[in-house]
Every structure is written in structure tokens, then in C-alpha cells.
Amino acid sequence: MPLVSTRSLSATRRLLKGGASTFLLTSSVLMVHGVQAEEISIACGSGDAADYCPVLARQWAEQTGHQVNVISTPNATTEKLSLYQQLLSSQSSDVDVLMIDIVWPGLLDDHLVDLGDYLPEDATDGFFPALVDNNTIDGRLVAMPWYTDAGLLYYRKDLLEKYGHEVPETWQQLTEVAREIQAAERAAGNNDFWGYIFQGRAYEGLTCNALEWVASHGGGTLVDAEGEVTIDNPKAIAALELAASWIGDISPEGTLNHTEEETRGVFQSGNALFLRNWPYVWSLAQSEGSSVRGKVGMATLPHGPDGESRSTLGGWNFAVSRYSEHPELAADLVAYMTAKPQQKAHAIVMGMNPTIESLYQDEEVLASNPSMRGLYETLANGVPRPASVTGDAYARVSNAFFNRTHQVLSGDIDAASAVRQLDSELKRLGRRGW
């Protein structure tokens, strides 16, 4: 039988000279049923019940006769990235396959193989083009998309019906409807009720929200595909001004410190009309014991007066380390993990959103999670963050964006001044090279 071992990250880290740490695993050559079996390692998620990566790795090992060491990593993306950077900067061959966030390909590409050298030419056929483009750096395919996310609008369909409103199509309509129903619900006795909840803490989640506001107003995507900074324009200013007007009106002051789970908690407790969040919320909102079970609808995000709905793309991918001693075998594992049958199983068993377009018409997938029927257009038109084009500078680009946006939401600076200052900051970063 092929061997599959599962290790926590803490069990594989060792202190190196100078205090750096990395993954340290043993390497061996096994004989399985007379076949020479190599040993490779894959860094998956956090190893909890929601992590389907070890299941698929085990299946691949059983089918190929090779050994796979499955390494669980921290749940926090910043900690995961830090450990990957330590591993790759030391040019360690201890981990062959890495699960990477959608905004990391441009940051890590120097350390990743071109999967195009190992996979067939049609390997990316059928995947969402935006995700393939996101993972292609200077013509090199450095990662394969595994599952994806996009920002969505959740709403209380019972309350919209009660007060005679449709799902808002524009941000201004959302503002007006939220204000009206919030006032009515408070008058009825729920003083904790809010019209709109979103992620407003100064972190990557605010970058996602703000990018949606700006892009859906027709204000661009912060940095365009050619690397030109585009943020200083009237439509971007209007988008940020509108968002700032929500704080203390239809959104609580606590929004300034809210991440995904805080906002889900408010909405799922029955204390919000509208919520911006990721697709994972759907199944939790409909679960047994949820205060809003059977009362929730899901729609594309609103847009500005002359724009169209735009949702920031999220999700995870698989890449192969340049320092792997078995890159061809590692690429084969990546191809298996991201292939249609495995993505279908991931969608059915775990409710995750596939990166292969045809699965959104698959009846078994839709039967397991009807919400996916309405996700296709949102995902197909999703907005990638400018991570690929800005490369190593993306973390600083995003940091500057969410910090300036947070200042606008907090009332510390006006939107026009914020985008002017942000424009200067980003252009300085760009001159250093991205």
C-alpha cells in the first residue's frame, strides 16, 4: 500500500542558524508492488475537517503508488505566507507542492516552476480565464486554480418582501432601502438592527471591498494590467465618499474593525438587512439553528450609477516549488488535485466553488448546493486584485490602499485627498519596479 503521512507544520519545523525556520522532512525511495515509489510532500490547509486537500492527496497516492507527506499549515494567510517565504528563500526541497492564495503568484513566482513545462498544452482549457491569467506571470503558468471565491450580496428576503422592496441594483438604492428598513425595524423594537454590514477593518478584506466599490463605479482597478496607477479619478472618489457615508448611518461604527466572521455573526443573528461576504456564508446561514435560516437571498453586488457589478476574486491554487527534486511528479499531483472529477467532488462534499466553468451546469453539483447556479456570472466577471502585475510590491500596494480607505471611512481624511495621496504612494512603488 502507498504511504500517506500527515504532519502538522509545528511538527516539521526546526530552528535554523540565525533563527530562521522551515519545513524539514526526510526523503526516501520506496518499493510498492515492485514499482519504484518516490516520496513528495504537499502543504495543504490547516488540517481541519474543512480541508479536502489531504483527501485528494491520499487518492493520488493510492492511484500512483507514490508516497505523499501532507503538511498542515496555519489558517492565517499571513502566517502561511511567511512560512512559505522562509522555506523558498532557503531553496529547500522539503516541500514539493504548495497551496497558495490567489494574490501570491506574482510574489512567489521566482520560486515556482512553469507548470507549462510539465502539463499538456490544454491543461487550462475550461478554467475561468481570469484565474488562469492571474496565475500566469510573464508567460509562465506558475499555479493551477483549485477553488475560487467572489464577493456577494446577502439579503433578508423576508424583510424586503415585508417592506415592498426589490433587491437593489445600485449602491445608492442599497443605501436608501437599508436606511428605510433599518429605521422601521428599530421602531418595531430591534435597536441592534443595521442596514448594511461589510468588512471595514484595515486589512486585505477592506482592499477587496474597496476594489468592488471603485470598479463598480467605473473607477478602474487601482493598478491596471499594464502597471499604470489609475486610482486618482472622480469615480473612485465618489465610490469612497458613498462608502464613508454608511458609517454610523446604515453601518455601525464597529464596521471599522469588522472582518468576515464578525459581519457574518451580525447578519446570521438577524441584525442586518444586507451583508457583503464570500460564498461560504450561504451554507452557514441556512444551517440548522441559524436565526435567518430560510430567510436569506444571495445576489450580485450593486454598482455605481454608470457602472456594472464587480466582485473581487478570491480563492486558492496549487503550485510546485522550483526546488522540488521531483517536479514532474509534483506537477502530476497538481494536475490531479485540480482536475474536473476532483473539483466536482470538492464542490459536492465541501461546497467549494470550482474553477472549471462547466461544473456550474453540472446537475449533481447544483443539487448539492443550489446557490452555485447563480454564482457563474459573478465569478466569470470577477475582478482580480492587481497582484500579478505588481508582483513583490503587492503587499505594499494593498496596504496603502486599505489604510487610505480606512482613513476615509473613519473620517480622518476626505476621499479626494486620499486618492491623491494614494496615487503618489503607488507611483513611487511602481517606479521602483513591479
Side-chain angles (χ1 to χ4, degrees):
M1 292 290 292
L3 300 177
V4 180
S5 64
T6 304
R7 307 172 188 236
S8 67
L9 185 62
S10 60
T12 60
R13 293 176 60 191
R14 294 293 184 271
L15 195 63
L16 301 179
K17 185 177 180 180
S21 61
T22 187
F23 303 98
L24 291 183
L25 300 173
T26 58
S27 179
S28 61
V29 177
L30 308 171
M31 296 298 294
V32 180
H33 302 306
V35 177
Q36 179 171 300
E38 305 290 353
E39 178 180 324
I40 63 173
S41 298
I42 181 170
C44 287
S46 57
D48 59 19
D51 189 1
Y52 202 59
C53 173
V55 175
L56 296 182
R58 184 174 298 109
Q59 291 176 3
W60 179 84
E62 291 171 348
Q63 291 184 23
T64 63
H66 297 291
Q67 177 171 344
V68 180
N69 289 318
V70 176
I71 301 170
S72 61
T73 59
N75 191 48
T77 55
T78 51
E79 292 180 30
K80 194 192 304 280
L81 176 60
S82 176
L83 290 165
Y84 282 176
Q85 289 174 319
Q86 292 176 38
L87 168 77
L88 296 171
S89 63
S90 68
Q91 300 189 8
S92 170
S93 62
D94 293 324
V95 176
D96 304 274
V97 178
L98 305 97
M99 192 176 83
I100 66 171
D101 187 87
I102 193 171
V103 296
W104 295 349
L107 181 63
L108 301 178
D109 69 297
D110 287 345
H111 301 285
L112 305 175
V113 305
D114 182 355
L115 292 170
D117 292 340
Y118 300 97
L119 302 182
E121 290 185 6
D122 62 355
T124 58
D125 288 359
F127 286 77
F128 284 109
L131 299 178
V132 176
D133 291 344
N134 181 83
N135 293 348
T136 303
I137 310 297
D138 296 329
R140 300 171 62 250
L141 179 67
V142 299
M144 286 289 287
W146 186 32
Y147 68 88
T148 187
D149 274 329
L152 295 168
L153 180 70
Y154 292 90
Y155 60 91
R156 287 284 299 278
K157 60 183 182 181
D158 60 323
L159 294 180
L160 290 183
E161 181 179 350
K162 176 181 177 180
Y163 293 102
H165 287 289
E166 301 292 329
V167 179
E169 294 186 2
T170 69
W171 290 113
Q172 188 59 45
Q173 289 171 355
L174 178 145
T175 304
E176 294 167 1
V177 172
R179 189 177 291 136
E180 176 190 328
I181 295 180
Q182 176 181 296
E185 286 295 294
R186 290 186 176 185
N190 186 356
N191 292 323
D192 295 324
F193 192 85
W194 290 94
Y196 183 47
I197 304 293
F198 64 94
Q199 298 77 49
R201 182 183 292 182
Y203 79 120
E204 186 68 22
L206 182 53
T207 288
C208 295
N209 279 258
L211 187 60
E212 291 163 348
W213 304 332
V214 171
S216 68
H217 273 75
T221 56
L222 188 61
V223 179
D224 67 19
E226 285 70 46
E228 295 297 319
V229 178
T230 63
I231 188 60
D232 189 1
N233 65 80
K235 292 182 178 179
I237 294 171
L240 295 181
E241 286 177 338
L242 179 60
S245 76
W246 297 332
I247 305 298
D249 180 14
I250 61 173
S251 305
E253 294 285 347
T255 296
L256 299 174
N257 199 39
H258 279 171
T259 66
E260 283 81 0
E261 280 299 275
E262 287 88 5
T263 59
R264 181 181 69 82
V266 174
F267 184 78
Q268 198 165 325
S269 67
N271 288 327
L273 175 64
F274 296 117
L275 164 71
R276 183 271 178 208
N277 214 313
W278 305 98
Y280 83 98
V281 169
W282 175 261
S283 60
L284 295 174
Q286 304 295 353
S287 63
E288 187 174 351
S290 169
S291 298
V292 295
R293 185 179 186 185
K295 302 176 182 179
V296 176
M298 186 176 69
T300 57
L301 290 168
H303 56 78
D306 302 313
E308 58 184 24
S309 176
R310 305 302 300 273
S311 295
T312 304
L313 288 175
W316 290 82
N317 312 268
F318 284 114
V320 174
S321 167
R322 270 185 56 196
Y323 315 111
S324 169
E325 295 177 356
H326 306 287
E328 186 170 1
L329 203 59
D332 186 72
L333 175 56
V334 167
Y336 178 85
M337 303 281 285
T338 58
K340 187 173 181 178
Q342 284 66 254
Q343 287 211 35
K344 179 175 178 177
H346 197 201
I348 292 173
V349 176
M350 307 302 296
M352 305 307 288
N353 303 308
T355 58
I356 295 176
E357 293 182 289
S358 62
L359 287 173
Y360 291 86
Q361 286 78 48
D362 187 286
E363 291 304 320
E364 290 180 281
V365 170
L366 296 176
S368 70
N369 190 345
S371 68
M372 287 192 187
R373 192 179 300 274
L375 278 176
Y376 175 76
E377 290 299 326
T378 297
L379 293 168
N381 296 311
V383 182
R385 281 161 275 177
S388 296
V389 68
T390 57
D392 290 346
Y394 175 72
R396 284 170 289 170
V397 169
S398 180
N399 188 278
F401 187 35
F402 67 62
N403 277 324
R404 291 299 180 192
T405 299
H406 195 267
Q407 290 177 322
V408 174
L409 297 179
S410 302
D412 296 334
I413 190 173
D414 63 88
S417 298
V419 299
R420 185 168 58 251
Q421 293 177 25
L422 182 59
D423 180 81
S424 297
E425 288 179 77
L426 298 186
K427 284 178 177 176
R428 283 198 298 273
L429 287 173
R431 283 194 291 271
R432 297 173 192 168
W434 58 40

